[in-house]
Amino acid sequence: MDKIKHLALTLDKSQERGYIKVPFQVEKNTERIDIRYRYPSSPVSSEGDYCISGEPCTIDLAVMLPDGTMAGASGSDRSHVWLSPLGSSAGFLSGELPEGTWHIIAGAYHVPAEGVTVEYTLEFTEKKRRLFKGDTHVHTTASDGILTPEEAAGLAKRMGLDYLFFTDHNNSAQNENLPDCDDITILPGTEWTHYKGHAGFLGVKRAFLRPYFTGSPEETDALFREAGERGAFRIINHPFCPLVPWEWGFALPFDGLEVWNGVMSERNERAAGWWHAQLCAGRRIPVTGGSDYHRLGLLGSLAMPCHCLYAPSRSPQDLLQALRRGNGFISYLPSGPMADLQAEGMDGNAASFGDFAVRGSEVSLLFTGLQAGDEIRLITEKDTEILNAPKGAVQLMLKRNYPDALFLRLELYRSYAPGLPPMKALLSNPVYFG
């Protein structure tokens, strides 16, 4: 729930030309701060039948962060400013909003003789868990795509997506000038492209400084380690692609695996099968899906598949953290089937995809966007429960208990057209039991 706080500052003439700090508290997980203020710019008094304008009053506005650095200043021309990671008022920094004691800086430029009271209204928008749809693997004219970054962002916006990662081949220059879009979050990335396989380095403008054309396992290992040290989320892309298979082995330091690249195919099923074996062996590897979009085609579209993330906001930091943790699932289209999962978390909070849940706790499952004939699979390392959606089914709510399982993950298979065999239409990251 959003919170509103009212503050009042009374100034007298002796404080004119001074800067007065007005403290206010910002709590953890604040997504946006709106600050509005008002005061009489020219107090009016009565003289007989006349209203007489008094001395002018001008109070400037600035905002200071808890560490003492300035978030921005607007003078006195605006009565409303806002700050958020997704864009702030002109003249104000955009970024995560740290908890702690902030200050409004009131610049008492002109104070009338009788003084003035300045009223501030602060509105705090809290972060809350919600679903964001996007694409983790997109190429533009910065490599071999046909859309400029601006055109790709515009297409994503028209499709109703919430975020995009641009991952041009061996190129990071485009990350210095990413499009600024109000309704979609654009994140930097690079697809490391080598004759022996491809990898996605997501979330940083420049994942590596050394040449991309490594010539030995040792050089490749060093490049991956550098990318990790620079903060990149390192994903092995389409590892079983017959055209560009992954030939480096899986001992390199990587963080995630792309198990769904473009339209569903045998190569993606092989990747999912390898990943499942790793889960059964006790490894935790978050998986991703991406369109590998270059141009529109019969079997290719932006967000085909669509990577769906549960995050507290669509700020770059929150989306990247959700991707790292595996907080979500992959659906074959933005309009495809959706899923959610809730259980008791090890930390006392609710656990979902990518989290640790208390072993033996009740798991609540929700599937939406169903169609008749959908085959729903609840998968652990021990067995697979299969349910078939009946005619007219659009939603399914389930409760299950897994006292002995290491993990639970979800899949859904759908026949895309009459006569065609069912194909994977949804795959989730697991919830782990500890």
Side-chain angles (χ1 to χ4, degrees), residues 1-69:
M1 180 181 296
D2 296 347
K3 297 180 180 179
I4 295 178
K5 184 175 182 62
H6 298 282
L7 302 173
L9 172 67
T10 299
L11 301 169
D12 58 41
K13 188 66 174 179
S14 67
Q15 293 172 292
E16 188 173 76
R17 300 300 178 95
Y19 297 95
I20 297 87
K21 294 181 179 179
V22 182
F24 65 94
Q25 296 298 315
V26 174
E27 297 179 0
K28 187 178 180 181
N29 293 324
T30 296
E31 182 173 358
R32 173 172 164 141
I33 304 171
D34 286 81
I35 301 174
R36 295 174 173 85
Y37 79 122
R38 63 180 185 177
Y39 59 91
S41 59
S42 181
V44 176
S45 61
S46 297
E47 288 188 12
D49 295 330
Y50 292 93
C51 291
I52 305 299
S53 176
E55 292 182 62
C57 181
T58 304
I59 309 298
D60 294 335
L61 174 70
V63 180
M64 188 168 70
L65 297 169
D67 64 1
T69 59

Side-chain angles (χ1 to χ4, degrees), residues 151-347:
E151 289 170 335
L155 175 58
K157 183 176 179 178
R158 292 191 296 275
M159 293 176 66
L161 300 182
D162 300 298
Y163 71 90
L164 285 183
F165 281 91
F166 288 141
T167 55
D168 283 300
H169 300 287
N170 295 326
N171 194 1
S172 58
Q174 77 284 353
N175 291 328
E176 298 299 328
N177 296 288
L178 295 174
D180 186 13
C181 301
D182 291 338
D183 301 319
I184 184 167
T185 303
I186 306 297
L187 298 105
T190 300
E191 184 172 26
W192 179 70
T193 306
H194 195 283
Y195 303 127
K196 293 185 177 182
H198 296 181
F201 296 147
L202 306 186
V204 296
K205 290 184 177 181
R206 192 167 184 181
F208 50 88
L209 300 179
R210 67 191 68 220
Y212 66 87
F213 43 92
T214 60
S216 68
E218 292 75 20
E219 289 181 350
T220 301
D221 184 272
L223 184 141
F224 269 64
R225 291 187 184 280
E226 180 186 2
E229 291 166 359
R230 295 176 69 85
F233 180 54
R234 302 162 296 184
I235 304 168
I236 296 177
N237 285 346
H238 45 73
F240 297 98
C241 174
L243 298 177
V244 191
W246 184 253
E247 299 178 12
W248 295 102
F250 294 98
L252 287 170
F254 70 97
D255 306 303
L257 188 75
E258 186 184 60
V259 297
W260 196 335
N261 175 276
V263 68
M264 180 49 62
S265 60
E266 189 268 344
R267 60 180 178 146
N268 291 324
E269 291 287 11
R270 286 185 63 192
W274 182 88
W275 170 62
H276 180 76
Q278 303 307 302
L279 295 178
C280 292
R283 294 187 67 183
R284 293 185 66 196
I285 304 175
V287 292
T288 66
S291 69
D292 206 348
Y293 185 81
H294 290 74
R295 60 190 55 81
L296 186 63
L298 178 63
L299 296 176
S301 170
L302 198 65
M304 180 190 282
C306 178
H307 197 106
C308 303
L309 290 171
Y310 284 104
S313 82
R314 63 174 179 86
S315 75
Q317 177 176 303
D318 285 341
L319 291 175
L320 188 62
Q321 185 177 64
L323 195 66
R324 284 183 179 278
R325 292 178 174 176
N327 297 150
F329 60 91
I330 310 162
S331 183
Y332 80 104
L333 283 176
S335 58
M338 300 286 132
D340 200 359
L341 180 155
Q342 297 281 297
E344 181 185 351
M346 300 288 287
D347 59 359

Side-chain angles (χ1 to χ4, degrees), residues 380-394:
T380 71
E381 79 281 7
K382 297 179 179 295
D383 55 28
T384 299
E385 179 183 359
I386 298 177
L387 303 97
N388 292 288
K391 182 179 180 180
V394 294

Side-chain angles (χ1 to χ4, degrees), residues 396-415:
L396 173 65
M397 298 178 67
L398 297 171
K399 292 186 183 298
R400 291 290 187 271
N401 190 281
Y402 299 93
D404 302 316
L406 292 175
F407 63 87
L408 169 69
R409 65 182 186 88
L410 314 176
E411 291 185 356
L412 185 149
Y413 281 74
R414 172 174 292 176
S415 178

